[in-house]
Every structure is written in C-alpha cells, then in structure tokens.
Amino acid sequence: MTSSFSETFEQSRTKFRTAAAENGAMMFSESITGSGAHGEALSIDFAVWRKSDETKRAFVMTSGVHGVEGFAGCAIFIDLCSFAKEYFLKLKEGDVLVIIHSVNPYGMSWYRRFSENNVDLNRNCMLPAELAEMLVNPTTEIYTKHYEVLNPPVPVPEMQFDFFLFQSLGLLLRYGFEGMKQATVSGQYLYPEGLFFGGRALEENYNAIFKFLRSQGISNESSTLKRFFFHDIHTGLGHWAHDSVFVMEAQCFDSMKEILKGKKGPGWHLENIKQQGAKGTAYTHHGNVLEGFKAYLCPEGCEWIACSEEFGTYSNLKVLMGLRQENSVWARNHTCPISHPTKQNLKELFTPQSEAWRAQVLKSGRFVINAMFDKFIS
C-alpha cells in the first residue's frame, strides 16, 4: 500500500507521470531553474482530467510547497491516480481536475523545505502590493533580536557546544509558547539566508503554475468559472499521523465541516487558522498558498472552498531543530549532498519511514480528497 512513497524527487516524479498517464490524464510539464541533487532537470508536473475545453468548475490539488514535505503529498496523489478513471467518469461538461506533483521540486530533490533561493513558498504566495508592504514593514522585531539563535554563524554540526535548547527555553519563558511560535516561524522578509524567508518577489514556481492554470481557464479574469476547489498537503505540524485540516475563512470552515461530516475518530480536526491564530495547531502568516491561489486565480463571485491538510510527525521543537541544523549547513554549502546527516534527518522529520505512519497518511488523505470531490461534482 505504501509503495507510492518514494525516496527521491526523480523517483516520485516518474511514478506520478506513469500513474496519471495510465489513468487518462493529459500530462504537462513546466521547467524550473536549477538542477536536482542527482543532476536531474527540475520541473513542475501537471496531470489534467477534463470533459470539455470550457472551464466552469475546477478542482486543483498541490503538494510539495515545502519541498521535502512533498513525499507524502505526492504519494497520496500517486495512490489517487489509480482511482482517477472513476473520478473522470463522474466529471461533467466544464469540469477540470488538476493535480500538481510538486510546487517546489528543488526543495524536494535536495531534501530542503525552501526553494533554490531559500524562499519559503508558503510565505511567498501573495500579490505584489502585499509583498511590497512586507518589505517596508517586515514586523520581525523578535526574529531580528534573536537572529543568531535560529541562524547560528557556524554550521550546527561543527559547534563544540550548541545551547539552542537552553536558548529556546529562555525565549519560551520570555514570550510564551504562542508568542515564540508566531515570532519565529510566521515568516520574515529581511534575511535571505535565514529560516522562513518569504522572498522579495513572487518565485518562478508560482509564475509557472499560475501561467499554466490560466491556460486551463482557471483565472481571476474568467467569466465562466463558478466553482473552485483547492486542496494543499503538508507534513510536520501536529501530533504523530494526526490529520489537521486548515482553512483561512469562516465560509470555508463551514463548507469543510459539512464535507467531512463522515470523517470519524479522534485522529483529525478542522481548524480556522485566522480564528485560532497561534493558539491553535498552526499559526497565521503572510503569503500562504490558500490566500495566494484565491487572490491570483479565483474570480469574484466564484464559489471558493480551500483547505491545507497537514499530517503530524515529530514534536515542534525537534522539527525546528532539524530545520535550523540543515539551514546552517546549506548557508555555507548549497550543494551539500542529500546523504549528509542533516538532510537525512530532515527527510525523516517530514516523511517518517514508519509504515504505519505512511499507511495512515494515505488513508486520511484519500478520505478528504474523496469527500471534497463528491461535493465538487454535486
């Protein structure tokens, strides 16, 4: 069952291309600057199922916004492709289903959470005016004050002593858990080599994706698009294998609550990030994909239902430590091989080798997508 998981980006991309094409998809690919960890050319791949040229209703799915997190989401998509023919038979005239393999192929290939430019793509997906505002008013006072705690001046593996745990405890006592979480991981726009850098312009990944989706009739200028469903997958936040379904708007919360009414058991929850803020499992931040895709692609008056599905792995502190270690090495060696211990550790933190974890992720992901698809075609 877990054979849809992969160990490398190239292996995952090949599985996705094969599974989608064998199940009736039209395949498209957009090249991305740079090369992968094994010298492979990088691309964002799209699988498209549609009944006609006109686009009235669209369901778009993404994974790998955070690179190394993409192995789980892409595994869900590869698994999903085996059921795609059933989906296609249910599509009506004007319906289009698009699955995007990996938004951040560089990060997925190099076992990094960030892009080739060290940009966190879930802090970068915003309109130019909003990004310009973030550059003028970055709101990163706490991050700046404690910059070297998160971004040490030497690679962590080379440190004789690393006092990060003690420093973190100090920050926790000073700002509280919610304040520390919001200040450190919600994004910063001042330090290009620091963790959670949101960039200074829209990354080429989004330019390529938005250009392609517009070619499929998915555009904020469309006069025919009346329903737009969007589903995005992440890992690394929350308890082990817990399925968190995040939304950014009250109307999306109500819609997803109705859509997922058949999802039983304690291993999941639905959360409005804007309402919960840092008190919840997630945290508020600028440039997230849910708001970005809506701003760039959803026309006024179009029904919009969007969520990010996040599967928990290890503790927040362990994940943050892994990100800090890997970034401290990358900042001094951008071609550090994926065999490096910091890379291998990051891969495990976001895609555990546990067969039980992987099986649960596939099961939970399939349920949410199936439920959304049933509503989409209704």
Side-chain angles (χ1 to χ4, degrees):
M1 183 180 179
T2 60
S3 60
S4 56
F5 277 85
S6 305
E7 293 306 311
T8 67
F9 165 73
E10 178 62 18
Q11 184 184 47
S12 178
R13 180 172 61 179
T14 299
K15 287 182 181 180
F16 175 75
R17 287 173 172 175
T18 301
E22 288 180 348
N23 287 279
M26 296 181 289
M27 301 302 298
F28 303 88
S29 184
E30 292 285 340
S31 297
I32 295 296
T33 302
S35 57
H38 298 284
E40 73 274 21
L42 298 177
S43 65
I44 299 174
D45 287 77
F46 306 83
V48 179
W49 291 264
R50 65 186 313 143
K51 281 287 183 70
S52 62
D53 291 336
E54 188 176 39
T55 300
K56 297 179 180 179
R57 304 191 302 183
F59 189 177
V60 176
M61 302 178 220
T62 60
S63 182
V65 169
H66 279 147
V68 68
E69 296 182 22
F71 289 97
C74 291
I76 291 171
F77 293 162
I78 292 164
D79 179 63
L80 191 67
C81 282
S82 62
F83 302 93
K85 285 183 178 178
E86 298 176 24
Y87 282 7
F88 181 73
L89 292 173
K90 296 178 182 179
L91 293 178
K92 299 178 177 68
E93 293 293 318
D95 289 349
V96 58
L97 172 65
V98 182
I99 301 180
I100 303 175
H101 173 251
S102 178
V103 173
N104 180 6
Y106 172 87
M108 190 171 175
S109 181
W110 287 96
Y111 293 0
R112 297 211 76 224
R113 193 172 182 267
F114 312 115
S115 75
E116 184 180 22
N117 300 318
N118 199 43
V119 171
D120 185 326
L121 295 183
N122 210 27
R123 310 291 184 274
N124 179 254
C125 193
M126 65 182 91
L127 295 172
E130 184 182 357
L131 185 53
E133 176 64 22
M134 293 307 302
L135 297 178
V136 174
N137 300 298
T139 64
T140 52
E141 180 181 350
I142 297 176
Y143 187 102
T144 298
K145 185 178 292 186
H146 303 287
Y147 176 81
E148 289 194 355
V149 174
L150 291 169
N151 306 286
V154 296
V156 173
E158 296 178 13
M159 289 182 176
Q160 187 173 4
F161 301 104
D162 183 10
F163 298 103
F164 180 68
L165 287 175
F166 297 103
Q167 292 168 321
S168 297
L169 180 60
L171 295 176
L172 193 62
L173 292 172
R174 183 171 182 179
Y175 301 109
F177 177 72
E178 294 169 16
M180 178 182 169
K181 180 170 71 168
Q182 192 64 43
T184 55
V185 303
S186 62
Q188 55 87 12
Y189 298 82
L190 293 178
Y191 309 103
E193 293 198 338
L195 286 172
F196 313 113
F197 177 56
R200 291 174 178 161
L202 190 70
E203 286 287 279
E204 71 165 315
N205 308 59
Y206 288 127
N207 285 320
I209 290 170
F210 294 155
K211 178 182 177 182
F212 174 78
L213 292 177
R214 287 177 183 131
S215 76
Q216 297 297 309
I218 305 170
S219 166
N220 57 2
E221 297 179 353
S222 172
S223 60
T224 62
L225 186 60
K226 302 302 180 184
R227 171 174 284 185
F228 190 173
F229 279 27
F230 178 64
H231 179 264
D232 179 47
I233 301 176
H234 294 260
T235 64
L237 191 61
H239 298 299
W240 183 261
H242 185 86
D243 185 4
S244 300
V245 182
F246 297 123
V247 299
M248 298 296 292
E249 304 172 43
Q251 58 90 9
C252 284
F253 182 89
D254 293 339
S255 296
M256 290 304 300
K257 185 177 181 180
E258 175 64 23
I259 288 170
L260 298 177
K261 62 185 179 182
K263 191 170 172 60
K264 309 297 183 182
W268 79 285
H269 80 289
L270 175 63
E271 181 176 317
N272 185 335
I273 297 176
K274 284 281 183 73
Q275 185 180 64
Q276 292 292 317
K279 295 180 180 179
T281 304
Y283 40 83
T284 58
H285 56 88
H286 295 274
N288 64 80
V289 291
L290 295 185
E291 293 182 312
F293 269 64
K294 182 180 182 181
Y296 275 98
L297 298 171
C298 189
E300 188 175 349
C302 175
E303 179 188 14
W304 168 257
I305 298 180
C307 72
S308 279
E309 193 172 8
E310 178 105 32
F311 297 101
T313 56
Y314 296 89
S315 71
N316 289 343
L317 182 58
K318 193 168 185 177
V319 169
L320 181 59
M321 289 176 65
L323 288 168
R324 175 177 174 267
Q325 291 168 357
E326 190 277 335
N327 197 60
S328 73
V329 172
W330 174 88
R332 291 147 188 92
N333 179 8
H334 291 187
T335 57
C336 177
I338 61 173
S339 59
H340 193 277
T342 59
K343 301 278 191 180
Q344 291 294 315
N345 179 53
L346 208 63
K347 173 73 158 46
E348 171 64 22
L349 287 173
F350 288 107
T351 313
Q353 290 289 333
S354 165
E355 287 291 312
W357 183 90
R358 294 183 173 194
Q360 183 59 45
V361 164
L362 290 176
K363 180 181 177 181
S364 297
R366 185 191 301 173
F367 183 95
V368 171
I369 293 172
N370 282 343
M372 289 186 72
F373 184 79
D374 286 343
K375 175 63 177 178
F376 172 72
I377 61 173
S378 66

